[in-house]
Amino acid sequence: MATEHNQEAQDLGQEQADSQTAQTQAETEQAEVSVEDLQAQITNLEESLKLEKARTANAVYEAQKSVERIQRESDKHKDTVLEKFAKELLDSVDNLERALSASGEEKTPMFEGVELTLKSLLTALEKFGVVAVDTANGFNADLHQAVGIDPNAKANEIGTVLQKGYTLNGRLLRPAMVMVGA
């Protein structure tokens, strides 16, 4: 029985030794394969990293372009809104100027009040870039709209201003309606 037990122990020891030898051989093969596999994985990861860096750079570029586009659209929208608002206020300026011209030369408290109101409205418009068109330096088709001939004015000179014109930040908001000499 002891011999059988010794035999079993030897067989068990031999199996363990064989197992360890097989395991060592497998580990060696895995180590060789692993180095090649790892190098292939490193190459794949480097390529993936390059691709992801390119995608990230492209996304950053697109985001910057989107911000710039939105900024341009916002500025254009603000200009459009300011232009519409200023055009609406020009009707009030015209009405206040008509009230002043209709009251004559008499300086009543009402005349002074209308005059101060007109002055403050024009000051507020100037803060936002609304300026009256110059009519003293002759006729300019880009800034003036000729609506008639003034027999008392020289050729290409503005005789009578029927309605003031205005510009907004250098762009024509409303042309001056004038009568020009022939």
Side-chain angles (χ1 to χ4, degrees), residues 4 16 58 136 163:
E4 281 181 25
Q16 287 178 349
N58 190 30
Q163 185 181 43

Side-chain angles (χ1 to χ4, degrees), residues 110-161:
M110 177 173 284
F111 178 87
E112 290 176 6
V114 171
E115 191 174 46
L116 288 173
T117 303
L118 176 62
K119 184 177 176 182
S120 69
L121 183 57
L122 289 174
T123 302
L125 286 171
E126 285 177 9
K127 284 182 183 178
F128 292 97
V130 178
V131 180
V133 170
D134 180 29
T135 56
N137 293 326
F139 180 76
N140 180 350
D142 293 331
L143 301 174
H144 307 115
Q145 180 181 0
V147 293
I149 297 174
D150 189 346
N152 299 328
K154 295 179 185 176
N156 264 349
E157 294 291 319
I158 296 173
T160 308
V161 177

Side-chain angles (χ1 to χ4, degrees), residues 40-132:
Q41 282 182 334
I42 288 171
T43 304
N44 288 339
L45 290 174
E46 286 174 345
E47 290 174 7
S48 295
L49 180 63
K50 286 179 186 177
L51 179 64
E52 291 305 318
K53 281 183 177 180
R55 285 180 180 166
T56 302
N58 190 30
V60 167
Y61 174 79
E62 290 295 324
Q64 288 172 340
K65 289 299 178 185
S66 293
V67 167
E68 291 171 6
R69 180 183 50 80
I70 290 169
Q71 186 66 37
R72 279 192 312 272
E73 289 175 1
S74 173
D75 290 343
K76 187 184 285 187
H77 182 69
K78 282 193 294 189
D79 290 344
T80 303
V81 169
L82 182 60
E83 184 176 329
K84 287 180 182 180
F85 183 68
K87 279 184 179 181
E88 291 296 319
L89 287 180
L90 291 181
D91 291 337
S92 298
V93 169
D94 291 340
N95 289 333
L96 291 171
E97 288 175 344
R98 283 188 207 106
L100 289 176
S101 64
S103 68
E105 294 298 318
E106 188 180 331
K107 300 266 185 174
T108 64
M110 177 173 284
F111 178 87
E112 290 176 6
V114 171
E115 191 174 46
L116 288 173
T117 303
L118 176 62
K119 184 177 176 182
S120 69
L121 183 57
L122 289 174
T123 302
L125 286 171
E126 285 177 9
K127 284 182 183 178
F128 292 97
V130 178
V131 180

Side-chain angles (χ1 to χ4, degrees), residues 15-33:
E15 285 178 20
Q16 287 178 349
D18 289 343
S19 171
Q20 287 178 348
T21 305
Q23 189 176 9
T24 305
Q25 286 177 351
E27 286 176 2
T28 305
E29 288 175 12
Q30 280 183 347
E32 290 173 9
V33 172

